[in-house]
Amino acid sequence: MSLSDRSVPRPLDPPGSLPRSLDNAPDGILASRAADGDPRAFEVLVRRHGPLMRAYATRMMGGTSESDDIVQESFIVAWEQLPTLKDGNSVRAWLMRIASRKAIDRIRLRKNDEPLHDWDAEAPTSQSPAHRVEVASQRERLTQALAGLTPTQRQSWLLREVGGHSYEEIGEQLSIPPSTVRGLLARARRKLVEEMEGWR
Amino acid sequence: MPGESVPQELVENLGRIVREIDGVTDLYDARPTPVAAVTSVAMRLTGRGAPEPVVVSSSGDGLTIWVSLAVSENHPAADTCRRVFDVVHDFVAAHVPEDTLRTVRIRVSRIG
Amino acid sequence: MTSSDDTPDRSVDRSGSEPEVTNDSGDLIEVLNDYLDRGEDPPRELLDGSPDHQLTLDALVRFRRLTRELLADDVAAEPARDDGWVATILANIHSESRAGRSIPLAHPSSIADLSISEGAVRGLVRAAGDAVSGTLIGACRLEGDVTEPGSPITVAVEASVFWGERIRATADHIRTAIESALLLHTELNIVAVDVTVTDVHLRRTGQENS
């Protein structure tokens, strides 16, 4: 069941009018309509931003197994909270923040795997130099470099650089002081840049 | 929510005849949202399928009927709503004593 | 930019750092990153201080671009999926939560309690406005006491208009279409339909909310 199937011409359509599909509507219009209760507008937002949220969740969790659940939970919360969103044009960043919170909730549940007090542990070197030389693209190298961070370093870095959160927000979400977040991010960033640039 | 004194056939038949009314395109669960969600889950858990969307509740002072509709934009929505009332009223009045019907609440929840 | 900003160490907060971060390259990355985060160019004096500084900046700029592209590349690399995930989300949202106020309809019977939900009327307004060529309706408000029959009601809508449409004429068409739809389907006493054109757009790829 595609969107276009359900928005086929209403009787009022003037012949030969431009296609009015919501698919091309700006985020602000879609967010306002969804806030007013239009599920079709919400569907366009889901299709437009869901894949990015899923990719973000996958990077946060270090795998895809929980990404779909995080995206689903995020959109269900988003539907309920859309009427409180002030500027519909910022809906993408707003959705990413909801996804951040949902991912962090799940990371907290993994307490046996990744106790938060391990945030400061020194990460193992990700790959041997011989292997690193073989990697094909920059993106793969970044992926490998990310794998070399501790989980908390990686999450902090994603929250900051991809999710756009402030140090205070990251500290709140990970239950650590903002000053600690800053140190964590400094180490993560330096390690990533150095691995990417082959300084070691 | 339906009281014991309301025959199940009446509830089922109401849903069927409302759907057949010209201009009615869909029926929604007429219970308030949280109640509807709980009822729906409970009925699925007990293997009774989806609940009937039309709600007939019986209390000390008589029957109350709740209906929530989607209507076509090809007919005036207010007229369709009144037509649904008339049909529901006449149908129920033919099955229960005249003075037991207290309120018939028909709500248009979607147009077109 | 004042000269005090040029002192690199000022913007480094070491409170949560281990000693290793205070080595030269770590410090420099943080200082440069702070400038980039603020959308500022690092001061010339800092970059000219050592050839390494410019190289570090270039590396950092490349890295930040790669970071921004990381998720977009992840999305592009994702194989096409069926629509199941969209359907699951849509099955779990409830339009009833946006039903709004109950707008009464007249009936001679004393046991009749007939109404149209505010959400249904908003949907009607959107559909009527969207049917005008080249427009999409955004937010829709019913101003006035819709629960009281005969109360004066003003409808306020926002509209996005495709580039190239004549805005004033289009707004008039939207107003007429909405008035007709409300007259046909409801018993509201509409005294005005206010149309605000909030943006002009082409297609999503050329989306500029001016």
Side-chain angles (χ1 to χ4, degrees), chain B residues 1-14 31 52 54-60 62-66 91-92 95-97 100-101:
Chain B
M1 210 196 272
E4 307 94 306
S5 60
V6 181
Q8 183 64 21
E9 315 94 84
L10 177 66
V11 179
E12 285 168 11
N13 284 334
L14 267 179
R31 295 164 186 81
E52 282 297 323
V54 174
V55 177
V56 182
S57 82
S58 169
S59 65
L63 290 180
T64 299
I65 295 174
W66 293 354
F91 182 81
V92 177
H95 288 77
V96 300
T100 53
L101 199 50

Short mmCIF file of all heavy atoms in Angstrom, two decimals, chain B residues 1-14 31 52 54-60 62-66 91-92 95-97 100-101:
data_model
loop_
_atom_site.label_atom_id
_atom_site.label_comp_id
_atom_site.label_asym_id
_atom_site.label_seq_id
_atom_site.Cartn_x
_atom_site.Cartn_y
_atom_site.Cartn_z
N MET B 1 -17.69 -3.42 28.50
CA MET B 1 -18.55 -2.32 28.87
C MET B 1 -20.04 -2.61 28.62
O MET B 1 -20.89 -2.16 29.39
CB MET B 1 -18.13 -1.05 28.12
CG MET B 1 -18.43 0.20 28.91
SD MET B 1 -18.36 1.64 27.87
CE MET B 1 -16.63 2.00 28.02
N PRO B 2 -20.38 -3.35 27.54
CA PRO B 2 -21.80 -3.62 27.35
C PRO B 2 -22.38 -4.37 28.55
O PRO B 2 -21.77 -5.30 29.05
CB PRO B 2 -21.83 -4.51 26.10
CG PRO B 2 -20.56 -4.25 25.40
CD PRO B 2 -19.57 -3.94 26.48
N GLY B 3 -23.55 -3.95 29.00
CA GLY B 3 -24.18 -4.61 30.14
C GLY B 3 -24.72 -5.97 29.74
O GLY B 3 -24.87 -6.28 28.57
N GLU B 4 -25.04 -6.79 30.74
CA GLU B 4 -25.46 -8.16 30.47
C GLU B 4 -26.80 -8.19 29.73
O GLU B 4 -27.08 -9.12 29.00
CB GLU B 4 -25.62 -8.95 31.78
CG GLU B 4 -24.41 -8.92 32.68
CD GLU B 4 -24.53 -7.82 33.71
OE1 GLU B 4 -24.74 -6.65 33.31
OE2 GLU B 4 -24.42 -8.13 34.90
N SER B 5 -27.61 -7.17 29.94
CA SER B 5 -28.96 -7.22 29.39
C SER B 5 -29.01 -6.88 27.90
O SER B 5 -30.07 -6.97 27.30
CB SER B 5 -29.87 -6.26 30.17
OG SER B 5 -29.37 -4.96 30.05
N VAL B 6 -27.85 -6.48 27.31
CA VAL B 6 -27.86 -6.12 25.90
C VAL B 6 -27.54 -7.34 25.06
O VAL B 6 -26.46 -7.92 25.18
CB VAL B 6 -26.83 -5.02 25.61
CG1 VAL B 6 -26.88 -4.63 24.14
CG2 VAL B 6 -27.09 -3.81 26.50
N PRO B 7 -28.45 -7.77 24.20
CA PRO B 7 -28.16 -8.94 23.37
C PRO B 7 -27.02 -8.64 22.39
O PRO B 7 -27.00 -7.59 21.77
CB PRO B 7 -29.47 -9.19 22.60
CG PRO B 7 -30.44 -8.14 23.05
CD PRO B 7 -29.73 -7.16 23.91
N GLN B 8 -26.09 -9.61 22.27
CA GLN B 8 -24.93 -9.44 21.41
C GLN B 8 -25.36 -9.25 19.94
O GLN B 8 -24.74 -8.49 19.20
CB GLN B 8 -23.99 -10.64 21.56
CG GLN B 8 -22.69 -10.56 20.76
CD GLN B 8 -21.79 -9.41 21.21
OE1 GLN B 8 -21.91 -8.91 22.33
NE2 GLN B 8 -20.91 -8.96 20.33
N GLU B 9 -26.46 -9.94 19.53
CA GLU B 9 -26.90 -9.81 18.13
C GLU B 9 -27.27 -8.36 17.81
O GLU B 9 -27.02 -7.86 16.71
CB GLU B 9 -28.12 -10.68 17.81
CG GLU B 9 -28.07 -12.09 18.32
CD GLU B 9 -28.76 -12.18 19.66
OE1 GLU B 9 -29.99 -12.33 19.72
OE2 GLU B 9 -28.02 -12.08 20.67
N LEU B 10 -27.88 -7.69 18.82
CA LEU B 10 -28.27 -6.30 18.60
C LEU B 10 -27.05 -5.45 18.27
O LEU B 10 -27.04 -4.69 17.30
CB LEU B 10 -28.98 -5.75 19.85
CG LEU B 10 -29.38 -4.28 19.80
CD1 LEU B 10 -30.45 -4.05 18.74
CD2 LEU B 10 -29.89 -3.79 21.16
N VAL B 11 -25.97 -5.66 19.06
CA VAL B 11 -24.74 -4.89 18.85
C VAL B 11 -24.16 -5.21 17.47
O VAL B 11 -23.77 -4.31 16.71
CB VAL B 11 -23.73 -5.21 19.96
CG1 VAL B 11 -22.43 -4.44 19.75
CG2 VAL B 11 -24.32 -4.87 21.33
N GLU B 12 -24.08 -6.50 17.14
CA GLU B 12 -23.50 -6.90 15.86
C GLU B 12 -24.34 -6.39 14.68
O GLU B 12 -23.81 -5.89 13.70
CB GLU B 12 -23.37 -8.42 15.79
CG GLU B 12 -22.22 -8.93 16.64
CD GLU B 12 -22.26 -10.44 16.82
OE1 GLU B 12 -23.05 -11.10 16.12
OE2 GLU B 12 -21.51 -10.94 17.67
N ASN B 13 -25.67 -6.51 14.82
CA ASN B 13 -26.55 -6.06 13.74
C ASN B 13 -26.46 -4.54 13.54
O ASN B 13 -26.50 -4.06 12.42
CB ASN B 13 -27.99 -6.45 14.03
CG ASN B 13 -28.23 -7.94 13.76
OD1 ASN B 13 -27.51 -8.53 12.94
ND2 ASN B 13 -29.17 -8.52 14.45
N LEU B 14 -26.30 -3.82 14.65
CA LEU B 14 -26.16 -2.37 14.54
C LEU B 14 -24.95 -2.00 13.69
O LEU B 14 -25.03 -1.15 12.80
CB LEU B 14 -26.01 -1.74 15.93
CG LEU B 14 -27.28 -1.25 16.62
CD1 LEU B 14 -26.95 -0.68 17.98
CD2 LEU B 14 -27.97 -0.18 15.76
N ARG B 31 -15.44 3.60 21.78
CA ARG B 31 -15.02 3.78 23.17
C ARG B 31 -13.98 4.89 23.25
O ARG B 31 -13.25 5.11 22.30
CB ARG B 31 -14.38 2.50 23.72
CG ARG B 31 -15.35 1.33 23.82
CD ARG B 31 -14.58 0.02 23.98
NE ARG B 31 -15.48 -1.12 23.95
CZ ARG B 31 -15.96 -1.65 22.83
NH1 ARG B 31 -15.60 -1.17 21.65
NH2 ARG B 31 -16.78 -2.67 22.86
N GLU B 52 -16.63 -5.16 18.72
CA GLU B 52 -17.60 -4.46 17.87
C GLU B 52 -17.40 -2.96 18.04
O GLU B 52 -17.29 -2.47 19.16
CB GLU B 52 -19.02 -4.82 18.30
CG GLU B 52 -19.49 -6.17 17.80
CD GLU B 52 -19.56 -6.23 16.28
OE1 GLU B 52 -19.92 -5.22 15.66
OE2 GLU B 52 -19.23 -7.28 15.72
N VAL B 54 -19.49 -0.49 17.47
CA VAL B 54 -20.65 0.18 18.07
C VAL B 54 -20.75 -0.25 19.53
O VAL B 54 -20.65 -1.44 19.85
CB VAL B 54 -21.95 -0.18 17.32
CG1 VAL B 54 -23.16 0.41 18.04
CG2 VAL B 54 -21.89 0.33 15.89
N VAL B 55 -20.90 0.72 20.41
CA VAL B 55 -20.97 0.42 21.84
C VAL B 55 -22.39 0.63 22.32
O VAL B 55 -22.99 1.68 22.07
CB VAL B 55 -20.01 1.33 22.64
CG1 VAL B 55 -20.16 1.05 24.14
CG2 VAL B 55 -18.57 1.10 22.19
N VAL B 56 -22.94 -0.39 22.97
CA VAL B 56 -24.26 -0.26 23.60
C VAL B 56 -24.04 -0.47 25.09
O VAL B 56 -23.62 -1.54 25.51
CB VAL B 56 -25.25 -1.29 23.06
CG1 VAL B 56 -26.63 -1.09 23.70
CG2 VAL B 56 -25.36 -1.19 21.54
N SER B 57 -24.24 0.56 25.88
CA SER B 57 -24.05 0.38 27.32
C SER B 57 -25.38 0.54 28.03
O SER B 57 -26.21 1.37 27.69
CB SER B 57 -23.01 1.37 27.84
OG SER B 57 -23.60 2.62 28.08
N SER B 58 -25.53 -0.31 29.01
CA SER B 58 -26.79 -0.36 29.74
C SER B 58 -26.54 0.05 31.17
O SER B 58 -25.64 -0.47 31.82
CB SER B 58 -27.31 -1.80 29.67
OG SER B 58 -28.40 -1.94 30.56
N SER B 59 -27.32 1.01 31.66
CA SER B 59 -27.20 1.38 33.06
C SER B 59 -28.61 1.50 33.64
O SER B 59 -29.59 1.19 32.95
CB SER B 59 -26.45 2.72 33.19
OG SER B 59 -27.23 3.74 32.61
N GLY B 60 -28.72 1.93 34.88
CA GLY B 60 -30.00 1.99 35.57
C GLY B 60 -31.07 2.74 34.80
O GLY B 60 -32.24 2.33 34.78
N GLY B 62 -31.32 3.25 31.49
CA GLY B 62 -31.58 2.88 30.11
C GLY B 62 -30.34 2.63 29.27
O GLY B 62 -29.23 2.51 29.80
N LEU B 63 -30.52 2.58 27.96
CA LEU B 63 -29.44 2.26 27.03
C LEU B 63 -28.81 3.52 26.43
O LEU B 63 -29.50 4.48 26.11
CB LEU B 63 -29.99 1.44 25.85
CG LEU B 63 -30.44 0.00 26.09
CD1 LEU B 63 -30.95 -0.60 24.79
CD2 LEU B 63 -29.29 -0.82 26.65
N THR B 64 -27.49 3.47 26.31
CA THR B 64 -26.78 4.52 25.58
C THR B 64 -26.03 3.85 24.44
O THR B 64 -25.38 2.82 24.65
CB THR B 64 -25.79 5.26 26.50
OG1 THR B 64 -26.53 5.87 27.55
CG2 THR B 64 -25.03 6.32 25.74
N ILE B 65 -26.14 4.44 23.26
CA ILE B 65 -25.47 3.86 22.08
C ILE B 65 -24.45 4.86 21.56
O ILE B 65 -24.76 6.05 21.42
CB ILE B 65 -26.50 3.53 20.99
CG1 ILE B 65 -27.43 2.43 21.52
CG2 ILE B 65 -25.82 3.08 19.69
CD1 ILE B 65 -28.58 2.09 20.63
N TRP B 66 -23.23 4.36 21.33
CA TRP B 66 -22.15 5.21 20.83
C TRP B 66 -21.71 4.69 19.46
O TRP B 66 -21.40 3.52 19.31
CB TRP B 66 -20.95 5.19 21.76
CG TRP B 66 -21.19 5.82 23.11
CD1 TRP B 66 -22.31 6.48 23.52
CD2 TRP B 66 -20.29 5.82 24.22
NE1 TRP B 66 -22.15 6.90 24.81
CE2 TRP B 66 -20.93 6.52 25.26
CE3 TRP B 66 -19.00 5.31 24.42
CZ2 TRP B 66 -20.32 6.71 26.51
CZ3 TRP B 66 -18.40 5.51 25.66
CH2 TRP B 66 -19.05 6.20 26.68
N PHE B 91 -34.03 1.18 14.43
CA PHE B 91 -33.67 -0.23 14.60
C PHE B 91 -33.75 -0.65 16.06
O PHE B 91 -34.32 -1.68 16.40
CB PHE B 91 -32.25 -0.48 14.05
CG PHE B 91 -31.83 -1.91 14.13
CD1 PHE B 91 -32.25 -2.83 13.18
CD2 PHE B 91 -31.01 -2.35 15.17
CE1 PHE B 91 -31.85 -4.16 13.26
CE2 PHE B 91 -30.63 -3.68 15.25
CZ PHE B 91 -31.05 -4.58 14.29
N VAL B 92 -33.17 0.17 16.93
CA VAL B 92 -33.16 -0.20 18.35
C VAL B 92 -34.57 -0.13 18.93
O VAL B 92 -34.97 -1.00 19.73
CB VAL B 92 -32.19 0.71 19.15
CG1 VAL B 92 -32.22 0.37 20.64
CG2 VAL B 92 -30.77 0.55 18.62
N HIS B 95 -36.50 -3.16 18.77
CA HIS B 95 -36.04 -4.31 19.54
C HIS B 95 -36.15 -4.16 21.05
O HIS B 95 -36.10 -5.14 21.77
CB HIS B 95 -34.57 -4.63 19.19
CG HIS B 95 -34.41 -5.22 17.83
ND1 HIS B 95 -34.46 -4.46 16.69
CD2 HIS B 95 -34.22 -6.50 17.43
CE1 HIS B 95 -34.29 -5.24 15.64
NE2 HIS B 95 -34.14 -6.49 16.05
N VAL B 96 -36.21 -2.96 21.53
CA VAL B 96 -36.31 -2.76 22.99
C VAL B 96 -37.49 -1.84 23.28
O VAL B 96 -37.91 -1.07 22.41
CB VAL B 96 -35.00 -2.15 23.58
CG1 VAL B 96 -33.81 -3.06 23.33
CG2 VAL B 96 -34.76 -0.75 23.05
N PRO B 97 -38.03 -1.89 24.50
CA PRO B 97 -39.15 -1.01 24.85
C PRO B 97 -38.79 0.46 24.61
O PRO B 97 -37.66 0.89 24.87
CB PRO B 97 -39.37 -1.30 26.33
CG PRO B 97 -38.80 -2.66 26.56
CD PRO B 97 -37.67 -2.81 25.58
N THR B 100 -36.63 2.80 27.00
CA THR B 100 -35.32 2.40 27.56
C THR B 100 -34.16 3.08 26.84
O THR B 100 -33.03 3.03 27.32
CB THR B 100 -35.12 0.89 27.47
OG1 THR B 100 -35.33 0.48 26.14
CG2 THR B 100 -36.04 0.13 28.41
N LEU B 101 -34.42 3.70 25.69
CA LEU B 101 -33.34 4.33 24.94
C LEU B 101 -33.10 5.73 25.50
O LEU B 101 -33.96 6.59 25.43
CB LEU B 101 -33.71 4.37 23.45
CG LEU B 101 -32.59 4.57 22.43
CD1 LEU B 101 -31.45 3.60 22.67
CD2 LEU B 101 -33.14 4.41 21.03
#
